[in-house]
Amino acid sequence: MGQTLTYKILNKHLIEGKLAAGEQIGIRIDQTLTQDATGTTAFLLYESIGAAKVKTDLSVSYIDHNMAGFGPENHNDHLYLQTIAAKCGVYHSRAGNGICHQVHLERFGRPAATLLGSDSHTPTGGGIGMLAIGAGGMDVAVAMAGGPFYLKCPKVLGVKLSGQLNDWVAAKDVILKLLSILTTKGNVGWVVEYFGSGAERLSVPQRATITNMGAELGVTTSIFASDEQTKKFLSAQKRRDDYQPLTADEDAEYDRVIEINLDELEPMAACPSSPDNIKSVGEISGLETAQVVIGSCTNSSFADLMMVAKVLKGRHVNNMVECAIAPGSREVLNMLAQNGALADMLSAGARILESGCGPCIGQGFSPANDVVSLRTFNRNFAGRTGTKGDKAYLVSPETAVASALTGKITDPCDLPELLGSEYPKIELPNEFVIDDSMIEQPLSDDEAAKAEVLRGPTIVVPESPAPLQQKLTGQVLIKCGQKITTDHIMPAGTFLKLRSNVSEYAKVVFNCFNEEGKPTFAERALQLKEKAIAGLIVAGESYGQGSSREHAALCPMYLGVRVVIAKSIERIHKANLINFCIVPIEFADPADYDKIECGDEFRIDNLLEAIRASDEVKIVKADGSFEFVGKLELSERDREILLSAGLLNYTRKKANG
Ligand code: MIC
Ligand code: SF4
């Protein structure tokens, strides 16, 4: 039987375990990426491991999330990250150079390599044929120190793309279509591999849009073959030498296959407030919109923005719409500036934002109350825009620009009729304008030994978890529903600047569920912690969807949360919980969820014993009126990490023999 692309790469990188779906495996990581919002913790933890120079082929630290600079925190972070990178042999992409995923694709990604990134959209690299996986910062720190990355050997879902995208239909519509089929839950443990004649016709940036938003499916990663398209892209980036062909075998067998005929695809939208709430743009057209934002790591490539510029040229954005465009990288922005496209955007009334995450992570551009905001991003979780009750729709750049011109959600296929606009097909340039002057090279060993690391006062080393005890007494601090995202647990936006100071950031854990005039989650948790009562979180399906932010485990840990009991828990978040010594438990019988109330007290009498040797644990209500069984789906390594009080202690213990 032939091999899939995924298994070919896994095979070449396997260090521990057997390549069979469901088995725990350890793989070698060739490249890592970190960004500023997860990076400070990742590097602080990296320093705590005691490692000096990174042992990967290449590690890059990006500044792209936190750039607004209200107060000293952001700049303190930037200086710390710049100086620690130089010392540790890490490349550093400075603020303004672009979004990590876009820049990594342009300047560093390499087919057939493995990439681990402390950002859930790391799978963008799958567009260039690399196995690119998102993880918590602690896991990335271990990989930088040369340790393997552990994961469940995935099942492979083949997505066969046939046909060809019609004019005005975009790569974004492909992934939105797939989200309508697979939804955001229930896909843990899969890799999506695209193949077929339709896939062959897509350019690298189009592929990267698809693999990027594959993160919303909750899969381990998504990947395309490395072929002529990849060669063309890398050559245009003056990196022809990084190219190597890699495809699945002709007779590769997938665990499941889904077919999408690109000829039949139409413009799609993810409606509020989930990336899987999909409708065709036709179904929602006519809805007035007051804001259109084009950018983010999903849709801000040169081709995307050139198409937008060409449609805007000689026209003007509707006067009831605020339209902003954030080019994904300095390379893209430079090229738009040099070829005049930027001027077309400006003349059309678009606001140009700097190359970074910006509005996608709630750093400004929050919409007014009750208005429809159209975004080319990948996430529209409730409140992520920074506005409570927001109505954010996720669309392609084609749909976004059409709607910016008309002031209503508009199917871009109607543009020729409405505005006489022909579809501007954008070819990949033969040569991108390359300027790596904002990427700092790591220092030589001699220079590194002398270099000073700058640590502003807002950068605080996080506390280590306390060891778990055999007998645990806990109280349910919150009972939440299904699809709780890490944005619910740990809001970003204006709180993002607190990422390097856990005790401050922890004050806003579950902020969206806090009620005015009542004690906050954090206050209630700290009260319990003082009484040595563990905090328990109870949740429905797909707990911890979305971002890789380990603060969604680190901050609850700081507040004394020791156990999460949910119907199911998403991959990255589950790993983060374990890394920070919070026990992830899944209901053996989901009906037991209904029998639990916030404030209930429970006990576990044999927690350590169960973690050591059992797949189950008995959880008993303190008054003895009810008990239920929780599943412990843990690998041997997970168990050891929990018993060692978290990954940092575990890694130190291992290093000391
Ligand atoms: C996001 O899109 O939510 C983020 C911000 O990029 C996160 C990382 C973070 O919270 O810092 C992600 O996707 O992992
Ligand atoms: Fe940045 Fe948004 Fe991409 Fe996250 S999804 S990396 S916040 S642009």
Side-chain angles (χ1 to χ4, degrees):
M1 188 181 89
Q3 260 188 334
T4 58
L5 196 53
T6 309
Y7 272 64
K8 282 188 181 180
I9 301 180
L10 286 176
N11 202 10
K12 281 249 158 73
H13 290 82
L14 192 67
I15 294 179
E16 272 179 58
K18 209 172 92 210
L19 269 195
E23 294 282 325
Q24 168 91 358
I25 53 170
I27 57 169
R28 195 183 70 247
I29 294 300
D30 300 323
Q31 301 189 347
T32 64
L33 73 76
T34 45
Q35 40 87 342
D36 52 318
T38 55
T40 50
T41 320
F43 277 96
L44 288 170
L45 293 167
Y46 180 77
E47 288 190 273
S48 309
I49 300 174
K53 277 232 140 157
V54 290
K55 300 228 171 69
T56 47
D57 296 349
L58 171 97
S59 289
V60 192
S61 163
Y62 293 90
I63 308 280
D64 54 1
H65 280 64
N66 252 320
M67 308 206 298
F70 294 111
E73 292 89 347
N74 293 171
H75 200 200
N76 280 338
D77 287 353
H78 300 179
L79 291 174
Y80 168 66
L81 289 171
Q82 182 170 10
T83 51
I84 188 76
K87 213 173 169 67
C88 298
V90 172
Y91 287 80
H92 178 75
S93 172
R94 300 184 61 188
N97 197 46
I99 306 174
C100 55
H101 309 301
Q102 176 69 23
V103 178
H104 206 83
L105 198 72
E106 292 168 354
R107 306 306 305 140
F108 297 110
R110 193 164 51 76
T114 50
L115 166 70
L116 193 71
S118 63
D119 191 283
S120 63
H121 292 103
T122 304
T124 313
I128 208 165
M130 64 188 328
L131 199 75
I133 303 176
M138 185 65 219
D139 282 320
V140 177
V142 169
M144 288 195 290
F149 174 64
Y150 292 87
L151 72 161
K152 238 193 198 167
C153 189
K155 289 197 224 164
V156 182
L157 166 68
V159 175
K160 183 174 178 187
L161 301 179
S162 56
Q164 193 164 1
L165 289 173
N166 288 313
D167 287 355
W168 303 106
V169 183
K172 181 68 156 279
D173 301 313
V174 178
I175 186 63
L176 291 175
K177 174 77 189 174
L178 196 61
L179 273 156
S180 76
I181 300 169
L182 294 173
T183 78
T184 57
K185 60 183 172 72
N187 305 312
V188 174
W190 288 83
V191 168
V192 183
E193 200 169 304
Y194 293 86
F195 67 102
S197 55
E200 282 163 25
R201 288 192 194 98
L202 297 174
S203 68
V204 164
Q206 286 177 310
R207 293 172 180 185
T209 292
I210 295 172
T211 57
N212 169 285
M213 204 173 169
E216 274 43 76
L217 297 165
V219 294
T220 306
T221 189
S222 307
I223 189 165
F224 279 81
S226 171
D227 56 13
E228 286 305 307
Q229 297 280 2
T230 323
K231 184 156 84 184
K232 202 165 147 194
F233 179 79
L234 285 170
S235 304
Q237 289 287 345
K238 301 204 179 82
R239 298 204 288 126
R240 168 71 180 76
D241 288 351
D242 284 340
Y243 173 69
Q244 82 177 78
L246 186 70
T247 51
D249 290 328
E250 288 264 313
D251 56 345
E253 265 187 41
Y254 298 96
D255 296 288
R256 179 182 172 194
V257 175
I258 291 177
E259 279 198 50
I260 297 179
N261 183 349
L262 301 182
D263 292 329
E264 290 167 8
L265 214 58
E266 53 183 334
M268 316 284 279
C271 303
S273 291
S274 177
D276 64 1
N277 186 13
I278 308 289
K279 292 205 166 90
S280 74
V281 173
E283 281 173 87
I284 52 170
S285 68
L287 213 60
E288 275 180 17
T289 175
Q291 189 189 60
V292 175
V293 197
I294 300 173
S296 90
C297 55
T298 322
N299 274 126
S300 57
S301 67
F302 174 71
D304 279 344
L305 299 194
M306 273 310 291
M307 182 280 302
V308 168
K310 292 218 160 162
V311 176
L312 289 179
K313 191 178 167 78
R315 301 194 171 89
H316 207 278
V317 165
N318 183 281
N319 69 341
M320 290 311 287
V321 174
E322 282 196 22
C323 173
I325 302 174
S329 68
R330 202 161 136 273
E331 180 178 284
V332 172
L333 179 55
N334 240 333
M335 290 179 68
L336 299 175
Q338 289 182 20
N339 72 11
L342 195 60
D344 294 332
M345 292 171 166
L346 287 169
S347 305
R351 291 169 58 180
I352 307 299
L353 308 184
E354 75 176 316
S355 294
C357 298
C360 178
I361 194 58
Q363 296 285 297
F365 234 75
S366 304
N369 300 104
D370 286 329
V371 305
V372 165
S373 173
L374 246 58
R375 301 173 161 229
T376 63
F377 307 168
N378 47 35
R379 292 192 170 140
N380 59 348
F381 304 143
R384 187 173 155 103
T385 61
T387 300
K388 229 180 168 153
D390 53 8
K391 297 184 200 157
Y393 290 71
L394 307 175
V395 294
S396 68
E398 282 78 351
T399 302
V401 69
S403 310
L405 289 171
T406 61
K408 298 182 184 121
I409 295 186
T410 300
D411 186 332
C413 301
D414 295 339
L415 274 189
E417 203 177 304
L418 287 174
L419 303 173
S421 183
E422 287 306 310
Y423 186 57
K425 259 212 169 79
I426 309 296
E427 295 296 335
L428 210 68
N430 290 331
E431 275 192 11
F432 288 95
V433 174
I434 313 292
D435 170 7
D436 289 335
S437 61
M438 295 280 278
I439 297 175
E440 308 244 313
Q441 309 277 326
L443 297 176
S444 70
D445 287 351
D446 281 354
E447 288 168 329
K450 285 180 252 147
E452 191 196 345
V453 176
L454 298 175
R455 298 166 210 276
T458 52
I459 296 171
V460 183
V461 180
E463 241 176 51
S464 283
L468 290 164
Q469 305 294 327
Q470 173 78 327
K471 270 198 191 329
L472 177 136
T473 310
Q475 193 185 96
V476 179
L477 278 167
I478 189 166
K479 181 183 175 187
C480 34
Q482 64 161 351
K483 295 212 248 179
I484 292 298
T485 71
T486 50
D487 278 63
H488 288 112
I489 307 169
M490 250 4 289
T494 48
F495 301 115
L496 201 60
K497 68 175 188 177
L498 302 175
R499 282 284 173 94
S500 306
N501 189 349
V502 169
S503 61
E504 281 302 307
Y505 196 26
K507 290 181 183 158
V508 293
V509 171
F510 283 120
N511 198 39
C512 60
F513 297 128
N514 286 335
E515 289 174 50
E516 239 181 278
K518 294 197 180 157
T520 63
F521 178 92
E523 287 163 350
R524 290 187 291 118
L526 284 175
Q527 272 170 16
L528 285 189
K529 194 179 173 189
E530 265 168 36
K531 294 190 229 154
I533 300 174
L536 310 181
I537 292 172
V538 172
E541 271 180 80
S542 200
Y543 182 72
Q545 271 194 11
S547 111
S548 69
R549 63 191 71 154
E550 61 195 342
H551 293 80
L554 181 52
C555 292
M557 177 278 283
Y558 171 82
L559 297 176
V561 172
R562 303 312 317 252
V563 176
V564 167
I565 313 167
K567 289 187 184 171
S568 65
I569 306 176
E570 291 297 308
R571 175 188 68 89
I572 303 180
H573 187 59
K574 183 167 174 181
N576 285 336
L577 290 174
I578 294 167
N579 289 352
F580 292 101
C581 203
I582 297 180
V583 189
I585 299 179
E586 280 152 293
F587 286 101
D589 178 359
D592 288 330
Y593 166 88
D594 299 325
K595 300 177 191 151
I596 300 177
E597 298 292 339
C598 183
D600 284 355
E601 287 195 9
F602 286 92
R603 42 165 239 270
I604 300 177
D605 291 331
N606 63 339
L607 184 62
L608 297 184
E609 208 177 292
I611 293 173
R612 202 167 290 127
S614 176
D615 295 334
E616 293 185 340
V617 62
K618 195 164 79 179
I619 303 161
V620 185
K621 200 159 171 187
D623 64 7
S625 62
F626 161 60
E627 64 178 50
F628 66 99
V629 175
K631 284 189 294 174
L632 287 172
E633 265 199 39
L634 301 168
S635 70
E636 279 315 308
R637 181 172 175 271
D638 293 339
R639 293 174 194 274
E640 281 179 43
I641 294 174
L642 286 171
L643 294 170
S644 312
L647 182 56
L648 182 59
N649 288 325
Y650 168 85
T651 310
R652 281 195 191 129
K653 244 170 61 184
K654 280 207 121 174
N656 298 331

